[in-house]
Amino acid sequence: MGVAEDLSSLRDEALDSVASANDLTALEAVRVAFLGKRGSLTSVLRGLGALAPQDRPVIGQLANQIREELEKAIATRRDELASQALAARLQAESVDVTLPGRKRSPGKQHLIHQIVDEITAVFVGLGYCVAEGPEVELEYYNFTALNHPPEHPARAATDTFYVRDLSDEASNVPGECDVLLRTHTSPVQVRVMERQAPPIYVLVPGKVYRRDVADPSHLPRFTQIEGLVVDEGITFGDLKGTLEHFVREVFGSTRRVRLRPHFFPFTEPSAEVDVSCGICGGEGCRSCGGEGWLEVLGCGMVDPNVFSYVGIDPERYSGFAFGMGAERIAALKYGVPDLRLLVEGDMRFLRQF
Amino acid sequence: MRVSLKWLKELVDIPVPLEELIDRLDMTGTKVETVHVLGERLDGVLIGQVLTKDKHPHADKLSYCTVDIGADEPLKIVCGATNFKAGDKVPVATVGTILTGGVTIKRAKLRGLESQGMMCSARELGVGGDASGLLILPEDAPVGVPFSEWAGLGDTVLELEITPNRPDCLSMVGVAREAGAVFRTAVRTPEWVLTESGSPVGEAVDVQIEDASLCPRYTARVIRGVTIGPSPDWLAERIVASGARPINNVVDVTNYVMFELGQPLHAFDLATIGTAQGRASIAVRTAKPGERLVTLDGQDRELSAETLVIADPCGPVALAGVMGGAATEVSGRTVDILLEAASFDRVSVSRTSRRLGLISEAALRFERGVDPELARRASDRAAALIAEVAGGRVAPGIVDVYPLPAKPIELTLRVDRMNALLGTTLVEEEVRQILSSLGIDVAGEGSVLTCVVPTFRPDLAREIDLYEEVVRIWGMERVASTLPGGRARVGRLTKEQRVHARIGEALRAAGLNEHIGLAFISLTDLERIGWTFGPGEGPVELLNPMSEEQSHLRTTVLPGLLRAVSHNQRHDVPDVHLYEMGTVFKTAEGRKLPRERGVVGGVLAGSWNRPGWNDPAPALDFFDGKGVLETLFDEIDVTNWKMRAAEHPWLQKGRSADVIVAGDVVGWLGEVAPPVLEAYDVSGAVTVFELDVKPLVKAVATDVRYREVPRFPAVKVDVALVVDDSVTAERVGQAIRSAGGPLLESVRLFDVYRDPEGATVRRVREGAKSLAFSLTYRAADRTLTDDEVRSIHERVVRKVCAAVGAEVRS
Ligand SMILES: [Zn+2]
C-alpha cells in the first residue's frame, strides 16, 4: 500500500470524525488526533524524510492539501457547533415576557402641591417671587389692615378659629382675642408691603383655616394661592391680562375668562373670575350647574385704604391682588368629588395623580 | 334678595329677554343665584265645583264631598272646612300635587273614607294669607282649568346675591335703579296719595332718642281705626314672591314697603304702648340691667346693656331694628297703629341680632345700612297703604326726631387718573352718563368731575369707589387685557424654597407619597404618644375648636401620619409610604404668636410592594426608614450627618435614633412603640421619622466641586473583624477610615454575623459579632503594587484592632 493511499484514507477518516464531533470538546479532540503534535497527519508529514526523494514533493503537497482541507473543515464545524450552543443557551434562558417586572415605584407628589407648583411656575415665569407668612396670625394682619370693618361677619367666632393668647399684651379687639388662624393668605400681602418697597410681584401659596365641618365641598384647613403686584402704572387691564394668561396656562388655551364685579374689603374695584366650563365649553351642562362658567378666583385693584396701612402712596403706585383655592381647582380640573379625599392619606387616592 | 319680575317690570323697563337680563345683572355685579318660576308647583291644582256635600259618617267636623274637576268621574274628597256649600267653585289639589311648604297630596283614608284630593285655602296655595277656609272662586271660574293659569299666577322670581356694600339693592326700587343704569331705560318711582284726618300725631305720640349715634332718626305716625284682616291678593302675592309669609294686612304692608323701598318698618298696637302726660311715650335707649323682653317669636329674652331697645315708660317694647315685642304686637283686636320708621346703628343691630341668634329681614337691612333719608318717605307710603287695605284714618303729621341728618357727600373724579388706573380710554361724557344713571349728580367742566353721591349709596365714599361704578356699568369685559410692563424684574425661588422642593423630590424618589393632613390634634394625641414640652411651653389651644379631637394645633405630624396608616389598613391597603411637609406649632408663657416650625415627617408600613413572583417583599423596618433618609441626605447634598441611638416615648426602645446634622439633633427616626400603635389602631411594624427643615436647608452643601474620576486600577481587600456587641458599626468604620489614610478610597460593610441563639458550634465568641468590610485602595497617580497594598492593609487592620478591641476573624 502506497503512502498516497494511506493519506487518502486518513483524510476520509478525519473528515468523518469532524462531521461526527457533537460538541466543541469532541471537535478539539479530533483536531489533536490528526493535527496535534502527535497527530496522525503530523506523523505523516514528519515521516516525509523517509521517502524516496522523487516521491517527497508529491506526497508533501498532498499531505499539505489534506491538512488545509482538514483545518477548514474543523473551523466550519466549530462555527456550526458554536452557533448551535449559543442557540441552545438562548433557548434555555428565554422568559415569559408577560411576567411582571421588578420595580420600586417612586412616590407621588400630593395633587394640591402639584397644582401649587404648576401655578407657581407660571407666575415665576411672569417675574414673581414666592412669599410666605405665619399660619397663626394677628387680627390686625388678617382683618384690620385688609380694610375689614370691626363688625365684619368673617371675624365672628363661628367662622374664624381663635387661638389662646399667652401674653400679657392687651388685645387689639376690646374684650375679644386678637390671635387667630389666618382665614386667607392675604395677611402676607400686608407683611410683604410692610417690609418691601414697590415694585412688588409676589405669589403667596399657603394653608388657611375656616371654621367649617369637613364635607364634600369644605375643609377646615385648605390651600390658597394669592398674588400681589404693586408698581407704578399697574392697571385693571394688567390684572385681566395676567389672569387670562394664568387660566390659559393652567386650564388650557381654549378656555375663556370673564370678570364679574364683586365686593371684597381689600380691593376696589373687585371682581370674581369665572372660567368657561371645560366640559360644555360655555353652553351650560350638569357639571357647571347649567351656567357654562366656573367660579375660580377673586381679584381686584389694591384698595387705597390697604396702601395707607402700609405707607404706600396710592397716587404714585397702584396694584392688584388675586386669590384662589387649590382644592377648588383640584375639584374642577381633576373631578375630585369629595375634598375630604385630599386629607385622608389614602394611598389609593394619592397614587392616582 | 328675591325679586319678582312682574314687580320689577312695573318699576323699570327691561328691554331684553330673561336670559339676557340675568347675564347683564351677573356682569354688572348683581349675581343671579337662582331663578324660581312661581305657580309651577300648582300645576296639579285644578278649578273644581262641589257637587254634593254630606256629613262624614264617623267625624263631626269633617264633610264628605263629590267634586267635579272636568274628569270622567267626580272626585270624592274629605274636607275639614265649613265655609262652602254644594255648587261652590274651589281650587282642588289633585293627587301628586306638591303644595307650598312641601306637602304632597296623596290618596288617603280619613276616618274610614278615601279622599282623592284636597280642596285648598288661599294660604295653602301660597296666594294669600287667609287660612280660615277654602278659597271660594267666582261663579264663572271654568271647571277643570289649571288654577294658576286662570289666576294668572305665573311670575318669575330672581334670587340675587347682594354684596354687603350695596344696602340700596336690598329693595325693589334699588334693583330697578340698577337695572335702569344697566339698560339705560327709564325708572318709575312708586307714587301714592296720603290723606290725613283727625287729631295731629303730636298729640298722641312723643319720641325721645338717648344716643343719636345709635339712632340717627326715628319717625312715628299714627293710623286710627284700622280693621285687621287678611291682605288683598295682590299684596299677599308680593309678600310671598319676596320670600315672606303673609300675616295680616297691616304687618304685610310694613313688609311690602320694606321690600319696595328698603326701609324696615314696625307697627305697634298703639293701645299697648305706655303713656306719659297723655301721649304714647317712646324712648330709644340701651337696655338697663336686668331688663327682659318677650319677643314676637314668644321667647323671653334677657337684654344686655349694649342692646338698643324701643321702650315705653314701663320698659322695652321692641329690640331696635331686630324684632318687636309680643305684648305690643298688632293683633286681631288692634284698632290704632303706631308706625315706626327709623334708622339704627349698623354695628349695634348686628351685635344684637348675632348675640340673640335673630336673623330677620329688618336686621339684615339695618346691618348693611339703611339710608336715614328714607324713613319719612317709607312712613308716608306705608301709612297710605294701610289706610287703603285696612281702612283707618292717618293722623295728620309725623313725629320726626332726626338729630343726625345724613348729607350727600361730594367727590372729585379725575377722568385721566381713572383711565390710568383702569387701563381704559373713557371720555367725560360716558363717565357722566353712567354716574347720572346711578343717581349721582355730576357737575364740573373738563376732565375733573364733581360728583354728589346720594345718601342711599354709603359705599361710595372715595374717588376710587366711583371708578368701580364706572367700570362695572361700562363693562369689565370691555377693558383691554395687558400684562404689567414695569422695570426689569426677575422671578425666582429662594435657596430655602428650592431646597424645600428638593426634599420632596428626594423623598418621592425614595418611594414616599406626599400626604397633607389637617393640622389639628387633641390633648389625647399628645398623651398617647407621650409628647413632652420644655418648661413653660405647651401646645397651641384653639378657643373655639370644631370638636374635642381637634382642640389644638399639632406639635408634630406623627399623629396625622399614624391616622393615615390606620385609615389605609382599615381599607385593606397594607403598604403605606407617606411623607408630609408642613408646619408644627408650640407656644410658651408670655407668647402672643406661637412658634411655627417647618418639619418633614414620614411613615413606612407593610412592604414596598406586595410579594411578587420574583420579589419576596420583606416587611419594612428601621433600616428602610434609614435608607430613605440616606437617600434624602444624598440628594440634597447634606454630608455632615449621623444617627445616634436615642429613646423617645413614642418609639420602640432599641430601634430608635436621633438624627444629627452638623452636630445638632434635627429629628428622630425609629419604629413606633407597640402601645402607640395600639392607640392608633395600627398593626405591624411602622417606621416613622420627623426632621426640622430649617437646619437641613442650612446644612446643604452649596459648593459641590469636581473630584477627579479615578484613572488607575483599585485593589479590593476584605476583612472580617470580631468586636464586642456594644461596639457600633459606625465606630469600627470610622476607625478603619482614620487608619486608612489617603490611599483607602472607600469602606463598605457587607456582612454582620452573630451566632444564632443556642448555637452548638460557635463561630464568634459570646457577646461579640463579626463585621465584614470590603476596603478599596487606590492611588490617584499610579497603579498600586501588591506589596504596597499588603503592607498598608496590615497596618490598617493592626490599628483598628487596637482602637476598637477587634480581632480578625479567620
Ligand atoms: Zn358645563
Side-chain angles (χ1 to χ4, degrees), chain B residues 313-595:
Chain B
C314 311
V317 294
L319 301 173
V322 179
M323 194 178 260
T328 53
E329 180 185 6
V330 172
S331 71
R333 293 182 305 278
T334 302
V335 179
D336 298 337
I337 301 286
L338 171 66
L339 181 68
E340 162 198 296
S343 53
F344 301 111
D345 177 55
R346 298 169 55 179
V347 178
S348 165
V349 171
S350 143
R351 291 233 171 103
T352 301
S353 124
R354 240 181 276 159
R355 195 172 56 80
L356 299 176
L358 279 172
I359 313 289
S360 62
E361 291 277 355
L364 177 80
R365 284 171 175 77
F366 281 120
E367 263 179 46
R368 304 281 183 91
V370 172
D371 176 14
E373 286 294 295
L374 249 183
R376 171 139 201 175
R377 245 161 42 88
S379 183
D380 290 355
R381 169 68 162 155
L385 268 179
I386 288 173
E388 182 187 324
V389 303
R393 303 170 311 281
V394 180
I398 184 167
V399 176
D400 186 355
V401 185
Y402 195 6
L404 277 182
K407 295 228 167 57
I409 64 163
E410 202 178 281
L411 297 173
T412 302
L413 187 150
R414 297 163 292 169
V415 176
D416 296 342
R417 171 77 186 144
M418 184 193 77
N419 280 326
L421 189 92
L422 296 176
T424 50
T425 51
L426 277 81
V427 296
E428 290 102 69
E429 202 32 54
E430 287 172 286
V431 177
R432 207 183 279 269
Q433 201 276 328
I434 289 170
L435 293 178
S436 309
S437 71
L438 291 166
I440 298 163
D441 277 341
V442 185
E445 290 297 313
S447 72
V448 177
L449 307 176
T450 303
C451 306
V452 179
V453 179
T455 51
F456 58 76
R457 288 300 302 271
D459 59 316
L460 305 182
R462 305 161 304 169
E463 185 179 3
I464 187 83
D465 301 326
L466 296 177
Y467 297 178
E468 178 173 56
E469 292 307 291
V470 173
V471 73
R472 85 183 170 84
I473 298 294
W474 185 69
M476 284 183 173
E477 71 277 12
R478 295 165 72 187
V479 177
S481 298
T482 49
L483 283 174
R487 284 164 279 177
R489 59 180 184 273
V490 178
R492 63 192 294 272
L493 299 180
T494 61
K495 177 195 168 194
E496 194 160 327
Q497 288 159 352
R498 275 176 290 140
V499 173
H500 207 270
R502 280 170 65 198
I503 291 173
E505 281 160 21
L507 292 174
R508 295 195 290 280
L512 272 55
N513 299 279
E514 192 183 18
H515 170 53
I516 303 176
L518 295 177
F520 307 109
I521 57 164
S522 67
L523 292 178
T524 313
D525 283 311
L526 296 176
E527 236 165 72
R528 281 173 174 171
I529 61 174
W531 195 267
T532 52
F533 293 91
E537 290 183 340
V540 176
E541 183 191 350
L542 299 181
L543 294 174
N544 53 340
M546 299 292 291
S547 68
E548 202 51 42
E549 291 77 51
Q550 302 188 341
S551 59
H552 290 72
L553 291 181
R554 64 184 177 194
T555 54
T556 159
V557 294
L558 175 62
L561 292 173
L562 291 176
R563 258 185 217 111
V565 175
S566 170
H567 171 94
N568 279 290
Q569 289 186 346
R570 278 201 310 279
H571 292 87
D572 287 327
V573 181
D575 302 329
V576 184
H577 332 113
L578 296 174
Y579 76 93
E580 174 162 14
M581 293 186 79
T583 313
V584 299
F585 307 80
K586 71 177 175 185
T587 189
E589 280 310 320
R591 285 191 76 93
K592 196 166 187 75
L593 289 177
R595 226 186 285 270

Side-chain angles (χ1 to χ4, degrees), chain A residues 52-209:
Chain A
Q54 69 276 20
D55 291 339
R56 282 182 203 162
V58 181
I59 297 299
Q61 199 179 5
L62 181 61
N64 273 325
Q65 265 173 18
I66 292 172
R67 194 190 62 200
E68 276 168 26
E69 190 182 0
L70 205 50
E71 279 172 349
K72 214 170 145 193
I74 289 173
T76 308
R77 183 68 184 148
R78 184 179 288 128
D79 286 352
E80 261 173 44
L81 287 174
S83 68
Q84 274 170 22
L86 183 63
R89 202 185 99 210
L90 296 188
Q91 175 62 37
E93 290 178 358
S94 72
V95 297
D96 175 357
V97 298
T98 66
L99 284 170
R102 208 178 281 121
K103 67 167 176 185
R104 161 103 74 91
S105 306
K108 301 274 193 167
Q109 190 180 23
H110 195 283
L111 175 59
I112 291 302
H113 287 163
Q114 288 183 34
I115 290 169
V116 169
D117 280 4
E118 186 186 357
I119 293 172
T120 303
V122 171
F123 284 96
V124 168
L126 288 174
Y128 289 54
C129 290
V130 173
E132 288 143 316
E135 291 176 35
V136 183
E137 259 297 3
L138 295 173
E139 164 278 338
Y140 173 80
Y141 287 105
N142 197 75
F143 291 127
T144 305
L146 290 164
N147 205 32
H148 286 62
E151 73 280 7
H152 195 278
R155 293 171 179 261
T158 48
D159 292 18
T160 298
F161 286 110
Y162 284 86
V163 162
R164 185 169 306 286
D165 175 2
L166 297 183
S167 73
D168 302 328
E169 293 163 42
S171 169
N172 202 29
V173 186
E176 280 165 39
C177 182
D178 62 349
V179 185
L180 46 79
L181 300 188
R182 66 178 179 193
T183 59
H184 45 186
T185 43
S186 313
V188 183
Q189 281 187 27
V190 182
R191 289 179 177 273
V192 167
M193 288 189 280
E194 270 183 354
R195 66 173 180 243
Q196 183 190 335
I200 294 169
Y201 292 79
V202 291
L203 194 76
V204 187
K207 301 291 173 224
V208 303
Y209 300 79

Side-chain angles (χ1 to χ4, degrees), chain A residues 276-294:
Chain A
S276 60
C277 173
I279 292 173
C280 63
E283 292 297 309
C285 69
R286 268 182 55 193
S287 112
C288 57
E291 293 216 30
W293 296 93
L294 303 162

Side-chain angles (χ1 to χ4, degrees), chain A residues 21-32 81:
Chain A
N22 278 327
D23 55 39
L24 291 170
T25 322
L27 184 64
E28 178 63 9
V30 172
R31 190 190 67 79
V32 171
L81 287 174

